[in-house]
Amino acid sequence: MRPCWQLITANNLPNVDIEELVDNCIVAGIESKLAGVVALEPYGPSGLLRSLAVAHDYQGRAIGRELYTKLVSHARLLGVLQLYLLPIDAAHYFSALGFQRTRRGEAPEPIQNTSQFRLLCPESAVCMVRDITEETIHATTDLLRLHPDVPGAQ
């Protein structure tokens, strides 16, 4: 998890408690090098997207978008219906992914109680949300069989 922590730090994103998200962390590697990382804090039907970061040498190659797509599939398999995030300076990027601004106070209580909301991101950070209920789940058939309650699973 140390290389992920370093990449998150290099991208000026909050890295506190990121090691607790190892089960919900997705990484991208190119030629044995860490190219990107994204994490999810799931709370029932709501989830908090944490620390989407791409290494400087790999930016501009759609790695962030691919990581986001995989995170959405992972979140859907966990039963997450809405994703929240607090971008400090990337609201434009996430708007292009379909996120919309919302007031911090409109986020569900479990999301508001996260360290990201309470401690790590300043009040000036924009709160954004995206409904992912209609998003396609990109997963292997074997993975879908592990979750028979997911639409499309066999």
Side-chain angles (χ1 to χ4, degrees):
M1 204 56 190
R2 180 97 175 128
C4 292
W5 187 86
Q6 290 171 331
L7 178 57
I8 291 165
T9 301
N11 278 269
N12 298 315
L13 297 171
N15 57 26
V16 175
D17 74 4
I18 200 73
E19 62 278 350
E20 295 173 20
L21 304 176
V22 69
D23 290 340
N24 294 302
C25 187
I26 299 170
V27 298
I30 298 176
E31 297 176 1
S32 302
K33 294 182 182 175
L34 180 63
V37 62
V38 66
L40 171 73
E41 283 187 53
Y43 297 97
S46 302
L48 183 62
L49 186 151
R50 288 281 309 267
S51 305
L52 175 59
V54 176
H56 181 72
D57 291 346
Y58 298 105
Q59 292 178 0
R61 298 185 189 183
I63 292 170
R65 185 174 292 272
E66 185 65 26
L67 284 166
Y68 170 74
T69 299
K70 290 184 183 308
L71 180 88
V72 167
S73 293
H74 177 70
R76 293 266 289 118
L77 288 169
L78 294 175
V80 173
L81 306 175
Q82 289 188 314
L83 282 179
Y84 288 83
L85 64 112
L86 292 169
I88 295 169
D89 60 2
H92 181 72
Y93 178 82
F94 288 104
S95 291
L97 293 175
F99 281 84
Q100 297 181 1
R101 292 173 185 247
T102 189
R103 290 194 307 260
R104 284 173 89 122
E106 292 180 5
E109 191 173 322
I111 299 294
Q112 289 186 40
N113 288 334
T114 63
S115 61
Q116 185 94 4
F117 263 71
R118 290 182 296 108
L119 306 169
L120 303 177
C121 288
E123 285 292 323
S124 61
V126 175
C127 182
M128 302 184 84
V129 63
R130 179 155 190 235
D131 184 317
I132 61 169
T133 56
E134 301 298 319
E135 291 298 310
T136 302
I137 297 173
H138 300 278
T140 64
T141 304
D142 291 340
L143 183 57
L144 290 174
R145 283 192 192 110
L146 296 174
H147 297 276
D149 55 325
V150 173
Q154 303 187 8

